[in-house]
Amino acid sequence: MTDDKETQVRHRFVGLYVLLLGLLGANMAGTLIDAGGLAIPIRLSVAAVMVVVIATSFMRLRQSSALVQVVAVMSLLWIMFLFVLTFADFLTR
């Protein structure tokens, strides 16, 4: 790789690192703010944004084939399905 390309890659990863640290700081600051019933959904949405950033950038899902993207989406849907069933069982007892 040329020096210019290495610099671009380094700047991209530093930017992603700073973004993830900012989201982590926002998530931690959310614990200090009394948002009532919205506190958990806000922190979970920040965590979901972090997952999307990691999946699209570090796992390179944007550049992968369509099959890999479909498998990634279906695995997330399966995990959501398991969480919904677990919480439904928990709430009905």
Side-chain angles (χ1 to χ4, degrees):
M1 286 195 341
T2 64
D3 289 333
D4 187 41
K5 193 163 210 113
E6 286 179 14
T7 305
Q8 289 177 351
V9 170
R10 185 173 294 135
H11 284 278
R12 180 173 178 251
F13 281 121
V14 168
L16 288 171
Y17 180 70
V18 169
L19 174 68
L20 288 172
L21 280 178
L23 288 170
L24 178 65
N27 213 354
M28 291 176 67
T31 61
L32 301 174
I33 299 170
D34 185 25
L38 291 177
I40 292 175
I42 289 172
R43 289 195 301 257
L44 285 176
S45 61
V46 170
V49 170
M50 290 173 73
V51 167
V52 168
V53 168
I54 289 171
T56 57
S57 301
F58 295 114
M59 295 174 63
R60 295 188 177 125
L61 282 179
R62 276 186 281 176
Q63 292 90 10
S64 62
S65 66
L67 179 63
V68 174
Q69 292 175 355
V70 168
V71 169
V73 169
M74 294 308 291
S75 64
L76 288 175
L77 289 175
W78 180 249
I79 288 172
M80 286 175 33
F81 178 69
L82 291 176
F83 275 123
V84 166
L85 288 179
T86 301
F87 289 130
D89 181 48
F90 177 73
L91 293 175
T92 57
R93 289 183 186 214

